[in-house]
């Protein structure tokens, strides 16, 4: 039977797989757009490939809160598993705007966000047991000291999707962490512990709940819980009520999501009840100054004695409302093929 560390090691190995067709390994093996320099990043909308990259990046940022669009700076020409590749060394995240009136594309580099290509660092470690710095200002010097002289100044724009290495870094860190019961249960390495958990939640509701949603909130109070269902079944309502119960209890929590839009929905629901000042959103697409500005704004609001103006929904009222809706449906003349439910029972 595999252990937790074995499971994490397998996940990390899968995430660290280096494909020869990845533009993080070779800028010529995938879709990249060569540019003459990093100084004047102004292009024509006739460059359809660049327009395609920008559209893809905007979609990723909206849905997942990440910015895959980067300008790569300098390339290392070296032999990777009997194949000569040109690997980007530095990556600079950027945003682009399309001016349809002037038919131009303007690309702006995000200030102070440059970093060393994580796939290059990992490939050198795997192939040569070479551990180099992650400092963008030192990496070229360290590469030359290690004997890599084939460094050329070339620039490319593309969607490099470097964020998967953040997940890999977390997986490797978890392998050295102390055993975690919740993680073992999530990965199926341990049976669920149904012992009563410390009750740190209030009883309040700010969103209406149907019986299934109330059952989910009740289950969360006693053990680790997975709530699943298709779109429109109220998962965000359950989460909104859960966040409110955490806040009402003067506690704190962390919500994570692959989709940025899911976080935006929660913040919007909390804002309707005056609770948005008690939460903040952190994503890879946000620059540090934006994050700190929001954090400062919320902090100052609470220091000034800000009080949320919200109204709790009574769970019994919600249940009565759901019961009345069910009765109205059953008594409808069209409930069962043109018959009320009572008529249908009599006919059957």
């Amino acid at each position: 039977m595999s252990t937790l560390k074995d499971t994490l090691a397998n996940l990390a190995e899968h995430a660290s797989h280096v494909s020869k067709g990845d533009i993080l390994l070779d800028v010529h093996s995938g879709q990249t757009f060569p540019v003459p320099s990093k100084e004047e990043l102004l292009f024509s909308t006739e460059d359809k490939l660049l327009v395609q990259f920008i559209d893809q990046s905007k979609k990723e940022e909206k849905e997942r809160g990440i910015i895959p669009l980067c300008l790569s700076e300098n390339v290392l020409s070296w032999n990777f598993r009997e194949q000569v590749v040109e690997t980007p060394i530095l990556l600079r995240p950027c945003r682009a705007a399309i001016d349809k009136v002037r038919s131009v594309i303007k690309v702006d580099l995000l200030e102070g966000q440059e970093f060393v290509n994580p796939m290059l660092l990992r490939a050198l470690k795997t192939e040569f047991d070479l551990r180099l710095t992650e400092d963008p200002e030192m990496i070229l010097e360290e590469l030359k000291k290690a004997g890599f002289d084939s460094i050329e100044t070339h620039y490319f724009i593309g969607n490099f999707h470097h964020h998967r290495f953040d997940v890999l870094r977390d997986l490797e860190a978890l392998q050295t962490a102390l055993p975690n019961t919740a993680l073992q249960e999530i990965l199926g390495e341990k049976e669920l512990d149904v012992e009563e958990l410390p009750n740190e939640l209030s009883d309040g509701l700010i969103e209406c709940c149907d019986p299934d949603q109330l059952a989910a909130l009740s289950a969360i109070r006693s053990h680790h819980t997975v709530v699943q269902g298709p779109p429109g079944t109220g998962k965000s309502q359950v989460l909104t009520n859960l966040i409110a119960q955490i806040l009402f209890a003067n506690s704190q929590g962390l919500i994570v999501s692959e989709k940025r839009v899911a976080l935006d929905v929660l913040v919007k629901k909390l804002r309707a009840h005056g609770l948005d000042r008690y939460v903040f959103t952190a994503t890879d697409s946000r620059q540090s100054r934006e994050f700190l500005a929001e954090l400062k704004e919320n902090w100052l609001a609470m220091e000034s004695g800000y009080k949320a103006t919200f109204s709790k929904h009574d769970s019994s009222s919600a249940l009565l409302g759901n019961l009345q809706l069910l009765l109205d449906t059953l008594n409808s003349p069209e409930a069962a093929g043109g018959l009320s439910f009572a008529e249908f029972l009599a006919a059957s």
Side-chain angles (χ1 to χ4, degrees):
M1 180 179 178
S2 63
T3 64
L4 178 62
K5 286 190 175 182
D6 292 334
T7 302
L8 291 171
N10 290 334
L11 290 172
E13 183 180 356
H14 178 74
S16 63
H17 176 70
V18 178
S19 169
K20 292 183 178 180
D22 197 313
I23 62 174
L24 279 173
L25 181 65
D26 189 356
V27 291
H28 299 296
S29 65
Q31 291 187 320
T32 54
F33 185 85
V35 298
S37 74
K38 64 178 180 179
E39 304 304 327
E40 188 66 24
L41 299 175
L42 202 64
F43 311 96
S44 169
T45 53
E46 296 298 318
D47 296 318
K48 301 301 182 184
L49 187 60
L50 183 57
V51 172
Q52 178 185 337
F53 293 161
I54 293 170
D55 289 342
Q56 291 173 347
S57 179
K58 287 183 176 179
K59 182 179 179 182
E60 291 279 346
E61 183 174 358
K62 180 179 179 181
E63 292 185 353
R64 301 175 57 197
I66 64 173
I67 302 178
L69 191 70
C70 293
L71 173 76
S72 68
E73 180 178 341
N74 299 322
V75 295
L76 172 67
S77 180
W78 63 299
N79 194 308
F80 175 76
R81 299 176 186 175
E82 302 181 355
Q83 178 181 337
V84 177
V85 295
E86 291 195 356
T87 304
I89 299 174
L90 291 176
L91 294 175
R92 298 180 181 271
C94 51
R95 282 194 175 99
I98 300 176
D99 187 337
K100 294 184 179 180
V101 175
R102 298 178 178 82
S103 299
V104 296
I105 303 170
K106 187 175 186 303
V107 176
D108 293 315
L109 301 178
L110 299 184
E111 184 180 350
Q113 301 292 316
E114 65 275 7
F115 58 94
V116 181
N117 178 1
M119 180 171 282
L120 173 63
L121 296 176
R122 178 158 294 275
L124 293 176
K125 177 183 176 182
T126 302
E127 300 299 309
F128 305 107
D129 196 25
L130 187 62
R131 292 168 173 78
L132 299 184
T133 180
E134 294 185 15
D135 187 345
E137 296 183 0
M138 299 293 297
I139 185 62
L140 295 182
E141 182 181 341
E142 287 204 10
L143 282 169
K144 290 176 181 178
K145 283 184 179 180
F148 294 97
D149 298 319
S150 300
I151 298 175
E152 299 182 7
T153 304
H154 294 309
Y155 302 95
F156 296 88
I157 290 178
N159 288 314
F160 286 87
H161 292 284
H162 53 87
H163 301 86
R164 60 190 185 273
F165 285 90
D166 294 335
V167 177
L168 177 59
R169 189 178 293 111
D170 290 340
L171 287 171
E172 291 177 336
L174 284 172
Q175 293 181 57
T176 60
L178 295 173
N180 184 290
T181 302
L183 186 59
Q184 288 176 311
E185 292 174 357
I186 290 172
L187 296 176
E189 302 293 339
K190 185 179 184 295
E191 291 296 325
L192 286 175
D193 184 1
V194 296
E195 292 182 4
E196 190 75 15
L197 296 180
N199 191 342
E200 297 180 353
L201 301 177
S202 75
D203 297 320
L205 296 174
I206 61 172
E207 294 278 310
C208 288
C209 283
D210 63 24
D212 290 334
Q213 294 162 5
L214 286 172
L217 287 169
S218 177
I220 290 168
R221 304 176 74 87
S222 61
H223 56 269
H224 302 302
T225 305
V226 175
V227 180
Q228 61 182 8
T233 52
K235 297 184 297 296
S236 62
Q237 285 174 274
V238 171
L239 269 176
T240 303
N241 278 317
L242 178 59
I243 296 171
Q245 290 180 350
I246 291 171
L247 293 175
F248 295 160
N250 293 321
S251 189
Q252 55 189 311
L254 174 67
I255 311 296
V256 295
S257 173
E258 182 182 10
K259 301 291 186 181
R260 165 65 188 267
V261 289
L263 298 177
D264 291 339
V265 167
L266 291 176
V267 173
K268 183 178 179 181
K269 286 180 176 291
L270 291 169
R271 184 177 296 119
H273 300 281
L275 295 176
D276 56 308
R277 288 298 188 198
Y278 299 101
V279 300
F280 56 86
T281 307
T283 67
D284 285 337
S285 66
R286 301 191 69 186
Q287 297 188 55
S288 299
R289 61 175 178 270
E290 295 174 346
F291 171 74
L292 292 175
E294 181 184 352
L295 199 58
K296 179 181 178 181
E297 186 178 353
N298 287 8
W299 181 271
L300 291 176
M302 286 186 284
E303 271 198 334
S304 66
Y306 172 80
K307 296 293 183 182
T309 55
F310 55 84
S311 57
K312 296 183 182 180
H313 281 282
D314 181 51
S315 59
S316 60
S317 298
L319 287 171
L320 285 173
N322 288 318
L323 178 59
Q324 187 61 55
L325 177 62
L326 177 60
L327 291 173
D328 291 344
T329 301
L330 293 176
N331 289 322
S332 168
E334 304 295 328
L339 301 175
S340 69
F341 186 65
E343 292 171 336
F344 173 77
L345 284 178
S348 63

